[in-house]
Amino acid sequence: MSEDTASGRITEESDRSFPGVPVRYIVGALGLLVLAALPVMADMELGLGVPGVFVLVIDELFLLDLTVALYFGMFAMSWDTVSGYTGQISFGHGLFFAVGAYTSALLNLGHGFDPILSIPVGVVLAAVAGIIIGVPALRLRGPYLSLVTLVAPIILLNLFIFRSDIFGGELGLSPGPENFLGYGVGQASMVYYVALALFVFIMAVLLLVTRSDAGRVFTAIREDEDAVASVGLNPAKFKIFAFVLSAAIGGLAGAMYVHTPRGGATYSELFSTTVNVEVIIAAVLGGMGTIVGAAIGGIFVGLVPKLLDELAVEIPGFVPVFGGTSVSEIDFLIFAVITLFLLYVLPGGILRAVIHGGQRARGWRRGDEVATDGGRPQRVITRVVGRWREQLRGDDDE
Amino acid sequence: MSSEPEQGTTAGPDATDATPQTESYGPDDGILVANNLRKEFGGLVAVEDFSFAVEEQEILGFIGPNGAGKSTTFNCVTGFYEPTGGTVWYQGEEVTGKPSYEMVNAGLARTFQHFRPLHDRSVVDNVALALVEDSLFSFSGLRGGTKERAAQLCERVGLADDLHRLPDELPHAGLLRLELARALATDPTLLLVDEPFAGLAGSEVERISTLIRELREEGLTLVVVDHNMRGLLSLIDRAVVINFGSKLAEGTPEEIRNNEEVQRAYLGGDL
């Protein structure tokens, strides 16, 4: 009798607590449909926007920009898997991006491997790099591990400078490697569809992993590693798994990127500090610890600066300092300011804000869902940093 | 009756029963046996050649004032700390220094003195985590079976009305119950309960004691750590008293209550 009550409560509650799921899925499916339809629009050379002020022309150039953004979205999802879920913040995720890209590019350029063969090798080597970085995660916690990830790309860069004859130093490999399946600028739609298919596939894989039992253990590690160990789960195993999975996918994104017409194997594109920071911003901006949010943030960070760069609008003269300047001249500055603003008003990320906005708009009033200070995992980064503080203070159980 | 540090470290299977006089234990002296357990932090000796044995299906009280080394001993036995010296046996097997998750899977569960719930998920999901297999590719949770089992466990410890609350919304006693449910979810044969009575009201102490007694009736062996003597002595079958990292006394609640050394050491002579 009593068991019936308990199970009964479970089903009743779970029906009630996921009223937004279908809506979320519909929105997601619509978004993917729009992405899939873009090449058709490009064929028609459609323009969106206000004529005379800003017109976004969906053309082949735009498709190639979006391709790059999709790979960056994949990269952001890979960061989110390890940092957003297990709380092991990686400050040097470009390392995996670069290992995948350089491996594939070097095999292609130096040994004539077809990208279809060299890319998997890049993925494997990136996964190996994930093990190498992940193993310190067995002993180091929180901020200490993050320091390791901060240093690792610096070591890689100096290795590349030391052997400039192979790696091309800071300037990277020139000329770039072959295009994937030979699709060049002329076949922008195909380049784009390859990226989109892979993007959807990786998102599905990561959603499956993070929604499985392993995902629950990941977030539990983020909350309290000792509590995880105290219920008979080996935190080290799950952390290494997250690192290797993340590294392999980051390596795949890098390797695919480098074989697009837009991508090149250079330091500034793959593992510079800017890249390392941008991927964090992308995931946090989109919604850390959600995968989908990281994907959205990745596309945003990958695309918006390029759109701003192509924007032929002058800032009105009454604006101090910047009056009269063309937007494209200070595109990255504007992008950074927009990002800062969004981070400030949407600390939980774009995805959560959209979902909650939708729920509120439809009149679902689940009090605990709306309260941001009720201990909900709204601000993953707050929780992670909170754990860091505890770890730096020392073990509290004695 | 303090121990002499350097007695024999091994004892045959014919070693006599656990009494304060025989300070050396063998693997078969109980379900959980620690022999000459030692833990140093730098120069500080937190646990000094401490030996004890837990017998099957008893409720053993582990008593000592704050800083006596209770939790350190606990952490050494459960694999959260690596002991500096000594041996731990569990169900006849040596388990010294084994990582904590292996100890849990062998049937030795624990609760934390400072409760460690996962703040990001509901009570029932906290318990459900303990039902997850230690395997990277497990989807059992998606089928919903673990949630039902978790709900049953919550009900077992008296959290039936709080299944979907967040840990932060629970009262102190509720958090203790959550710790117990999570430990029980690992299906232990021995449960170490760290300071259950700290911060509990008298009526709550009684209710938790009843729960612990019921668990023992169901076949569990329990070790309860506390410095709250009054609540503890009425609950336990036997007590081990620790002070300054080594054993001060051992015996039935009456013997402990009447032990002058125990009274003098930190009960202010009043029991």
Side-chain angles (χ1 to χ4, degrees):
Chain A
M1 185 64 208
S2 60
E3 287 172 12
D4 290 345
T5 357
S7 344
R9 273 202 199 95
I10 288 290
T11 37
E12 174 209 322
E13 283 284 336
S14 52
D15 282 348
R16 205 154 61 83
S17 57
F18 296 116
V21 165
V23 178
R24 232 185 288 177
Y25 286 172
I26 290 166
V27 170
L30 275 178
L32 288 177
L33 269 179
V34 169
L35 285 177
L38 282 177
V40 181
M41 295 165 76
D43 285 346
M44 297 186 284
E45 297 261 334
L46 273 180
L48 303 171
V50 186
V53 183
F54 169 60
V55 181
L56 171 62
V57 182
I58 314 267
D59 55 6
E60 301 199 321
L61 215 65
F62 176 76
L63 287 183
L64 291 177
D65 284 344
L66 194 52
T67 300
V68 171
L70 285 173
Y71 287 128
F72 197 74
M74 267 171 70
F75 183 44
M77 285 191 273
S78 81
W79 184 89
D80 199 32
T81 306
V82 71
S83 299
Y85 279 83
T86 70
Q88 317 291 310
I89 304 290
S90 167
F91 285 135
H93 226 59
L95 180 88
F96 307 125
F97 205 43
V99 168
Y102 270 85
T103 305
S104 187
L106 285 170
L107 284 176
N108 177 244
L109 289 171
H111 303 275
F113 277 55
D114 191 272
I116 209 140
L117 294 173
S118 63
I119 289 169
V121 181
V123 172
V124 170
L125 273 196
V128 171
I131 295 174
I132 294 169
I133 303 291
V135 166
L138 297 178
R139 301 195 64 86
L140 301 174
R141 284 189 182 188
Y144 303 103
L145 178 75
S146 294
L147 283 177
V148 170
T149 65
L150 197 57
V151 173
I154 300 173
I155 294 173
L156 193 71
L157 172 63
N158 283 285
L159 192 71
F160 282 11
I161 292 171
F162 176 62
R163 292 307 303 266
S164 294
D165 50 329
I166 303 172
F167 301 106
E170 280 190 73
L171 295 176
L173 303 176
S174 177
E178 286 173 37
N179 291 325
F180 184 69
L181 298 177
Y183 294 139
V185 183
Q187 295 105 326
S189 302
M190 290 316 293
V191 175
Y192 172 75
Y193 274 129
V194 169
L196 184 62
L198 209 57
F199 177 83
V200 172
F201 173 70
I202 293 299
M203 188 191 272
V205 168
L206 290 181
L207 283 174
L208 195 64
V209 169
T210 52
R211 270 62 178 172
S212 75
D213 285 348
R216 288 206 241 158
V217 180
F218 286 176
T219 47
I221 288 172
R222 185 180 74 202
E223 287 293 310
D224 193 331
E225 239 180 281
D226 282 339
V228 171
S230 81
V231 296
L233 300 164
N234 180 357
K237 184 165 77 180
F238 286 90
K239 281 201 284 185
I240 289 275
F241 173 60
F243 256 103
V244 172
L245 180 70
S246 171
I249 288 171
L252 175 65
M256 290 300 298
Y257 165 77
V258 89
H259 292 291
T260 63
R262 276 291 174 91
T266 65
Y267 164 72
S268 63
E269 284 171 74
L270 295 170
F271 63 114
S272 67
T273 310
T274 313
V275 174
N276 292 332
V277 172
E278 273 178 349
V279 72
I280 299 174
I281 289 174
V284 174
L285 185 65
M288 191 175 165
T290 59
I291 298 295
V292 176
I296 295 170
I299 294 176
F300 180 89
V301 170
L303 197 60
V304 171
K306 290 206 176 101
L307 293 182
L308 290 172
D309 186 34
E310 288 155 18
L311 201 60
V313 174
E314 266 192 17
I315 295 170
F318 61 83
V319 179
V321 184
F322 297 109
T325 321
S326 165
V327 166
S328 60
E329 268 179 67
I330 52 166
D331 57 322
F332 205 79
L333 177 68
I334 294 174
F335 165 72
V337 171
I338 293 173
T339 304
L340 189 69
F341 175 73
L342 286 176
L343 285 173
Y344 183 71
V345 294
L346 310 172
I350 294 169
L351 182 70
R352 287 191 179 91
V354 168
I355 290 171
H356 285 240
Q359 281 175 349
R360 235 175 283 175
R362 293 183 52 142
W364 284 309
R365 31 118 219 103
R366 290 248 303 159
D368 53 5
E369 200 82 61
V370 179
T372 49
D373 54 354
R376 284 270 152 188
Q378 290 278 342
R379 299 174 192 184
V380 174
I381 204 143
T382 315
R383 309 186 74 81
V384 171
V385 173
R387 289 294 302 163
W388 284 13
R389 231 172 16 228
E390 277 172 39
Q391 280 157 1
L392 288 170
R393 217 169 34 216
D395 196 331
D396 66 341
D397 211 3
E398 182 43 10
Chain B
M1 224 158 284
S2 62
S3 64
E4 290 165 38
E6 295 304 330
Q7 278 191 336
T9 47
T10 53
D14 56 330
T16 45
D17 257 13
T19 63
Q21 281 75 32
T22 50
E23 280 304 323
S24 190
Y25 294 84
D28 300 318
D29 284 339
I31 182 169
L32 175 70
V33 183
N35 192 43
N36 285 330
L37 198 66
R38 190 179 182 88
K39 180 66 188 175
E40 297 169 13
F41 296 102
L44 178 86
V45 183
V47 180
E48 191 175 8
D49 305 310
F50 182 59
S51 304
F52 67 94
V54 185
E55 279 153 39
E56 212 157 323
Q57 242 190 308
E58 73 171 337
I59 303 180
L60 177 71
F62 202 67
I63 305 172
N66 284 327
K70 300 186 300 290
S71 286
T72 309
T73 309
F74 230 67
N75 283 331
C76 285
V77 169
T78 51
F80 279 86
Y81 291 161
E82 179 126 16
T84 313
T87 320
V88 181
W89 289 281
Y90 182 64
Q91 291 183 322
E93 269 180 56
E94 201 200 312
V95 292
T96 320
K98 265 203 184 184
S100 47
Y101 61 90
E102 280 185 30
M103 299 293 286
V104 174
N105 290 328
L108 194 153
R110 69 167 295 176
T111 67
F112 289 100
Q113 173 186 346
H114 300 283
F115 306 134
R116 302 187 107 150
L118 304 165
H119 299 279
D120 67 338
R121 61 197 75 192
S122 66
V123 165
V124 69
D125 284 338
N126 259 275
V127 179
L129 181 78
L131 298 165
V132 168
E133 277 173 72
D134 188 20
S135 144
L136 295 175
F137 305 101
S138 152
F139 297 92
S140 59
L142 297 180
R143 290 195 293 271
T146 53
K147 264 216 167 168
E148 260 171 55
R149 174 94 186 96
Q152 287 166 16
L153 284 160
C154 289
E155 197 146 17
R156 177 72 195 83
V157 299
L159 287 174
D161 296 329
D162 305 304
L163 292 182
H164 298 281
R165 292 238 168 91
L166 288 173
D168 294 348
E169 302 170 66
L170 292 182
H172 188 81
L175 287 168
L176 172 63
R177 289 173 194 274
L178 176 56
E179 285 280 324
L180 286 170
R182 202 165 60 178
L184 289 174
T186 66
D187 200 14
T189 44
L190 194 158
L191 179 57
L192 295 153
V193 190
D194 202 354
E195 301 264 357
F197 301 134
L200 284 192
S203 57
E204 283 288 354
V205 169
E206 203 36 61
R207 262 177 250 146
I208 296 290
S209 295
T210 309
L211 176 61
I212 289 175
R213 272 192 216 102
E214 284 169 9
L215 292 174
R216 188 259 295 275
E217 293 309 314
E218 291 167 19
L220 213 60
T221 308
L222 290 122
V223 178
V224 183
V225 176
D226 220 307
H227 61 263
N228 177 344
M229 279 275 210
R230 267 193 203 86
L232 199 61
L233 287 177
S234 58
L235 167 68
I236 57 179
D237 306 319
R238 210 161 59 85
V240 172
V241 185
I242 182 172
N243 198 18
F244 300 119
S246 49
K247 196 189 281 181
L248 185 71
E250 180 171 0
T252 62
E254 288 70 41
E255 287 168 354
I256 297 299
R257 200 174 273 130
N258 300 324
N259 187 312
E260 279 183 21
E261 228 174 317
V262 174
Q263 294 178 0
R264 219 184 5 259
Y266 46 93
L267 298 171
D270 164 43
L271 246 180

